[in-house]
C-alpha cells in the first residue's frame, strides 16, 4: 500500500498570505489528522476528520481550517499567515475506529513564513 | 487533562549499554499508549503500542498504571537506534486525538 502523501514538501510564504496543504491518506483509511510540529512544542493537534466530518479540533485560532473530501483526501488551509506559523505540518491517517487505530504519518510539509 | 511528559530532551548511551526512555502520562481512565520513532530523514512511524504487548527491534514498553508510566527499554543499544522518540496517548476521552510528548533524542555512541 502506498503511504500517506503530503504535498507540497516545502513552502515559503510571506506574512499575510494564505496557504493550502494537501494530504492523501492510505487507501482504506477514513480518518485524517493534522499536527503542527515545532522544535519547542513537539506535535500539537490541529484537527481530525472522519468521513468528511470534523470530529475534533485542537486549540488553534480560526485561521487554521481544514476539510476532507469524499475520497478521504484532506486539505488544510491557513489564512493571514504569521511568522509563528512556520513549522512542519504533519498529516496522519488511520482507520479511525476506536482508540487502538494507530496513526500513519506523511513526510510533512515544511512551511516557512517570512 | 490529558498530558504526556518525556522528561529527557536528549539521551546518550554507548553501544551495547541498556537504554530507557521515560514517558509519564496523565489521563482519567484507561489510555492506550504508543511509542513513535523518527529516524534521520524519515517520517514519523509507529514503533510499538501497549495493546500489542510486542517487542519491536528489541524494544519493549510496560504500562505501569500505578506510576502512570510507559517507559521504553532496550537491553543493548545499537547505533541504528539513534533517533527521535515520541511517546503518545489516546483514549476514550481524547476525542480521537493523540497526545504526544515533546520527544527524546537518543544518540548511541559507537
Amino acid at each position: 500500500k502506498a503511504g500517506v502523501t503530503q504535498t507540497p514538501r516545502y513552502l515559503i510564504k510571506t506574512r499575510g498570505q494564505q496557504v493550502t496543504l494537501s494530504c492523501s491518506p492510505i487507501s482504506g483509511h477514513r480518518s485524517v489528522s493534522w499536527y503542527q510540529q515545532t522544535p519547542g512544542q513537539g506535535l500539537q493537534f490541529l484537527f481530525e476528520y472522519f468521513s468528511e466530518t470534523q470530529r475534533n479540533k485542537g486549540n488553534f485560532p480560526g485561521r487554521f481550517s481544514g476539510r476532507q473530501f469524499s475520497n478521504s483526501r484532506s486539505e488544510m488551509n491557513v489564512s493571514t499567515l504569521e511568522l509563528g506559523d512556520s513549522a512542519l505540518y504533519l498529516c496522519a491517517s488511520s482507520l479511525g475506529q476506536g482508540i487502538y487505530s494507530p496513526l500513519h504519518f506523511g513526510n510533512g510539509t515544511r512551511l516557512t513564513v517570512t | 487533562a490529558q498530558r504526556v511528559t518525556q522528561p529527557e530532551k536528549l539521551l546518550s548511551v554507548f553501544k551495547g549499554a541498556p537504554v530507557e526512555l521515560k514517558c509519564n502520562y496523565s489521563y482519567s481512565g484507561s489510555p492506550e499508549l504508543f511509542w513513535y520513532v523518527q529516524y534521520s530523514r524519515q517520517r514519523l512511524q509507529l514503533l510499538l503500542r501497549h495493546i500489542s504487548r510486542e517487542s519491536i527491534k528489541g524494544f519493549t514498553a510496560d504500562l505501569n498504571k500505578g506510576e502512570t508510566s510507559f517507559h521504553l527499554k532496550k537491553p543493548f543499544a545499537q547505533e541504528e537506534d539513534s533517533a527521535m522518540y515520541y511517546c503518545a496517548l489516546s483514549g476514550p476521552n481524547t476525542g480521537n486525538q493523540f497526545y504526544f510528548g515533546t520527544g527524546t533524542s537518543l544518540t548511541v555512541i559507537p
Side-chain angles (χ1 to χ4, degrees):
Chain A
K1 273 187 180 177
V4 177
T5 304
Q6 291 188 247
T7 56
R9 290 295 305 276
Y10 302 94
L11 269 175
I12 299 176
K13 292 287 186 179
T14 305
R15 263 187 311 175
Q17 289 185 313
Q18 75 164 22
V19 67
T20 299
L21 284 57
S22 181
C23 173
S24 293
I26 291 173
S27 178
H29 284 191
R30 296 164 65 188
S31 170
V32 174
S33 302
W34 290 88
Y35 287 81
Q36 182 193 66
Q37 186 179 26
T38 56
Q41 300 292 319
L43 279 84
Q44 301 291 308
F45 174 74
L46 282 153
F47 27 67
E48 188 254 356
Y49 288 86
F50 183 85
S51 293
E52 303 180 66
T53 300
Q54 185 182 89
R55 292 200 295 191
N56 197 5
K57 190 177 192 302
N59 191 25
F60 278 81
R63 299 185 296 106
F64 292 81
S65 63
R67 59 178 175 169
Q68 187 181 34
F69 302 95
S70 58
N71 60 359
S72 293
R73 192 176 70 83
S74 177
E75 287 183 346
M76 189 190 96
N77 185 276
V78 187
S79 63
T80 320
L81 284 166
E82 301 178 358
L83 295 178
D85 297 334
S86 294
L88 181 67
Y89 290 88
L90 295 173
C91 168
S93 75
S94 77
L95 291 171
Q97 296 166 346
I99 67 172
Y100 305 114
S101 298
L103 299 176
H104 299 264
F105 285 89
N107 282 314
T109 294
R110 172 77 61 186
L111 173 64
T112 302
V113 182
T114 61
Chain B
Q2 296 88 345
R3 178 176 291 181
V4 177
T5 303
Q6 294 179 250
E8 304 138 329
K9 280 186 185 285
L10 303 170
L11 183 63
S12 295
V13 300
F14 285 99
K15 178 182 174 182
V19 61
E20 180 179 68
L21 290 84
K22 291 184 168 51
C23 171
N24 290 90
Y25 67 89
S26 172
Y27 183 79
S28 298
S30 295
E32 178 57 18
L33 277 299
F34 304 80
W35 276 99
Y36 282 82
V37 61
Q38 190 167 30
Y39 301 103
S40 180
R41 302 185 200 285
Q42 294 187 28
R43 65 183 66 194
L44 196 58
Q45 58 187 284
L46 178 68
L47 179 61
L48 56 80
R49 50 182 165 168
H50 167 246
I51 192 174
S52 300
R53 302 281 202 278
E54 57 199 345
S55 172
I56 303 293
K57 299 185 179 183
F59 284 98
T60 59
D62 291 319
L63 179 61
N64 186 321
K65 291 188 177 181
E67 296 182 358
T68 59
S69 67
F70 189 59
H71 303 329
L72 184 68
K73 300 177 184 179
K74 185 170 182 177
F76 307 104
Q78 303 299 315
E79 290 179 64
E80 55 266 29
D81 297 329
S82 295
M84 192 75 174
Y85 292 81
Y86 292 92
C87 182
L89 172 155
S90 180
N93 301 330
T94 67
N96 306 297
Q97 174 181 345
F98 277 62
Y99 289 83
F100 285 83
T102 50
T104 297
S105 177
L106 174 66
T107 300
V108 180
I109 304 165

